[in-house]
Amino acid sequence: MLRLFSLIFSLAVAGSIFAAGSPAGAVSLPDSTDISSSLPELQVFAAPPPFREVIPSQHLNGEQLEKLNSHNVADAIRYFSGAQIKDYGGVGGVKTVDIRSMGTNHLGVFYDGIQLGNAQNGQIDLGKFSLDNIEEISLYNGQKSEIFQPAKDFGSAGTIYLRTRRPVFKEGKRLNLNLTFRTGSFGLLNPSCRLEYKLSKNVRATLNSEFTYANGKYRFRYRKVFPNGSLAWDTTATRRNGDIHAFRIEAGLFGIIPMGDWHAKVYYYDSAKGIPGAIVNNVWKNSQRQWDRNFFAQGSLRKTISSRYELMVNAKYARDYMKYLNPDTTLMYINNRFYQDESYLSLANKVEILEGWEANISADWQWNHLSSPMVNFSYPTRHTLLTALATSWRRSAFKAQASILGSFIFDRSLINDGYSILGHRSSRWARFTPAVFLSWRPLEYEDFNLRAFYKRIFRMPTFNDLYYTDIGNADLKPEYATQYDFGAQWTHGFASTVWHSIQLSADVYHNRISDKIIAVPKGTGQYRWMMMNIGKVRIFGLDANARADLSLPYGIDLSASLSYTWQSARDFSDPEDSLDEAGTYKGQIAYIPRHSGSFTAGATWRRLALNYSFIYVGERWDNSSNIPVNYVQPWYTSDLSASYSLPLGKTNLKATLEVNNLLNQQYEVIRNYPMPGRNYKLIFQFDI
């Protein structure tokens, strides 16, 4: 298997050398001045520019992110259609994302073009990533509509791209400085600093740091009403053990080279936080705690070798540490520590075969290792080789993209009995998965697109799934996801009216999950479980989005956006589990609402800005058995913010007041994890 790894990776390298040495078949582009001079003198409107993406993304850029009452990436993603956030409450609570009900592990999260990894459990806590240094968030269903990318980018059912701020300097400036201070409810103290410096004409540096402290205490009303209207319970208490101390620092270099660019980044995050836990059996306070230290260094180089060939190289090393402590001996004393190491190298090569027809071959190698002082720990190591062959074709109003991903995985772990090593366990997987994307613009002078895609992909069992002591199952198979999507998007700009632009989009989709990895009881022990491939999920859904921008008299600008999601995500795992009223067969899977949506609106006038956002999540169940005892009530929140910018010479001061959960709704995203009621935040930003 390792020889096969080496052979395929060598082919990718050889392909790059061959393409670089091939004759430069230059493609002559029409001169822009010639185009403009050929237009009729009185022509005002022209056809929209050729669309670049086969499947457009949902995205939030810097200005839009500032309008949302969001501090971290997970809070901002709530406004995307088709996205469900699992939020366990509190300032430092874990926040993960599920796209179109396929599960958190089917989502890839990329930070400046390189994937964030967690081989232990496959989940990325997006609550760790502040928006202070984020310039844009993009969400793609299927995969990014660009073939020139690492093989990793083809390997997820959905992807989120986080792009950090690139330094931009006004003429004559070499230094930008931003100082931000947040304070408010929960004892929040959150200073941050962003420094940007122009080292030379072609090299720029950034340094961003942030400290977060909060005691995490908030009062909540814990009330439940059954679907028949009867009251289950109603009480008021204070959420405790939700404190957090966190420090983040990242430094970056951005450079320009002839016919290319490069960037490098070093990131470090250190936190200590309480885990308030679930409120069950009249236990209102928990004492569990967690410590995290995350470090990574990564870099990327992109260069145009000739008019027909481009090369991209990515590399990364990451080291993660996590400690979990449960000192409560009445349950089970736990003091676990885990260390993760990851190395990653990628090479992508794009070649223009003919005008409008491009191809890409990319190869990625990744090494993961997990260690822990736990008894009977398996110390697993994983080598992953991904190779992707992709092509795109564009002709007039049509655009098509197809790819096939080859995944070759080699795992090795220890077998021991707690006293001695009995041997090694090895396993190998080889899988090929295809994807096809189509787009068509039927109207020449309207920005109206029809799109469709098919993709089959899988996710590997995590180290916890396979090797966690007494729970893991080393015989697990990969979990497959098959996606079908059809959608349309229309964008229209207006001239000489208060309306600036309107954008409408809608997608219908069907996803099928097979060999789903779930925990099932093992034997007769109440707390003994094992991971098994017995899950099947069928998902039908609709995502709809609308956005409008207006410019009113007296310099007033308005913007509004609306998103809506309908989903039927049902459990088809076991037909025999429908024989009683508590059966799970064909039940809506846990925590997936049938109806959800969001609305945002913003207004700006001179230096004053006012923004409002609303999120609604419909009724859900905490189990595929959709019976009253598992019912989770709908919830909604309203957030409001007002900001004012004041120039002070060369310095700009911006003050913002946020009121979150304006109507003081008492709700839960996850059962028994109450969320905060009305809370406040005051923000001061200095830009020099």
Side-chain angles (χ1 to χ4, degrees), residues 96-117:
T96 60
V97 181
D98 181 5
I99 301 296
R100 291 185 171 180
S101 305
M102 289 180 290
T104 300
N105 290 342
H106 280 284
L107 178 69
V109 182
F110 291 78
Y111 199 78
D112 279 341
I114 299 179
Q115 188 172 14
L116 297 171

Side-chain angles (χ1 to χ4, degrees), residues 1-2 5 119 366-369 378-384 408-414 424-429 460-467 473-474 476:
M1 180 61 70
L2 289 177
F5 287 4
Q366 182 172 301
W367 169 80
N368 295 96
H369 179 71
S378 299
Y379 296 91
T381 298
R382 173 173 294 174
H383 292 269
T384 303
F408 308 92
I409 299 98
F410 173 76
D411 275 12
R412 185 176 176 86
S413 59
L414 296 180
H424 292 85
R425 178 190 295 111
S426 298
S427 56
R428 295 172 173 84
W429 292 272
M460 277 296 299
T462 66
F463 283 162
N464 280 359
D465 294 336
L466 292 165
Y467 309 116
N473 178 2
L476 286 175

Side-chain angles (χ1 to χ4, degrees), residues 314-330:
N314 292 330
K316 177 181 179 179
Y317 171 74
R319 170 78 168 176
D320 296 331
Y321 165 80
M322 191 269 281
K323 176 183 177 181
Y324 173 77
L325 174 65
N326 179 13
D328 188 354
T329 55
T330 61

Side-chain angles (χ1 to χ4, degrees), residues 118 120-121 128 271 273 275 289-294 319-325 335-340 370-373 464 468:
N118 187 343
Q120 182 179 0
N121 58 35
K128 295 179 180 179
S271 71
K273 59 187 178 183
I275 302 176
R289 302 201 59 85
Q290 181 172 318
W291 292 261
D292 291 281
R293 291 198 298 267
N294 308 109
R319 170 78 168 176
D320 296 331
Y321 165 80
M322 191 269 281
K323 176 183 177 181
Y324 173 77
L325 174 65
N335 186 3
N336 289 342
R337 298 186 304 279
F338 299 94
Y339 303 84
Q340 289 192 68
L370 180 67
S371 60
S372 172
N464 280 359
Y468 199 90

Side-chain angles (χ1 to χ4, degrees), residues 506-521:
D507 286 85
V508 292
Y509 54 88
H510 173 50
N511 302 329
R512 302 170 69 90
I513 310 295
S514 58
D515 287 332
K516 188 172 181 64
I517 300 170
I518 60 177
V520 298

Side-chain angles (χ1 to χ4, degrees), residues 335-354:
N335 186 3
N336 289 342
R337 298 186 304 279
F338 299 94
Y339 303 84
Q340 289 192 68
D341 290 278
E342 176 184 307
S343 296
Y344 170 74
L345 181 63
S346 169
L347 178 66
N349 313 267
K350 186 179 76 170
V351 179
E352 183 181 35
I353 303 172
L354 296 172

Side-chain angles (χ1 to χ4, degrees), residues 490-615:
W490 175 65
T491 302
H492 186 74
F494 298 87
S496 303
T497 69
V498 297
W499 293 92
H500 183 266
S501 65
I502 291 180
Q503 180 175 305
L504 303 174
S505 68
D507 286 85
V508 292
Y509 54 88
H510 173 50
N511 302 329
R512 302 170 69 90
I513 310 295
S514 58
D515 287 332
K516 188 172 181 64
I517 300 170
I518 60 177
V520 298
K522 175 184 176 182
T524 59
Q526 183 178 2
Y527 298 106
R528 294 179 63 81
W529 297 79
M530 177 172 282
M531 311 306 295
M532 300 290 288
N533 287 106
I534 64 172
K536 293 182 180 180
V537 177
R538 302 292 180 262
I539 303 157
F540 292 89
L542 166 68
D543 288 346
N545 296 275
R547 178 178 174 84
D549 295 282
L550 299 85
S551 296
L552 302 180
Y554 306 106
I556 300 175
D557 293 325
L558 301 178
S559 64
S561 63
L562 177 69
S563 70
Y564 168 76
T565 297
W566 171 83
Q567 285 190 104
S568 171
R570 297 193 294 167
D571 185 347
F572 283 79
S573 300
D574 186 2
E576 295 184 1
D577 198 13
S578 60
L579 303 179
D580 57 70
E581 62 180 14
T584 61
Y585 187 66
K586 293 187 178 182
Q588 185 85 349
I589 63 176
Y591 292 111
I592 301 301
R594 286 193 170 90
H595 304 279
S596 61
S598 67
F599 171 76
T600 63
T604 59
W605 177 69
R606 297 183 180 177
R607 302 189 185 100
L608 181 65
L610 186 66
N611 299 287
Y612 170 78
S613 59
F614 173 83
I615 292 177

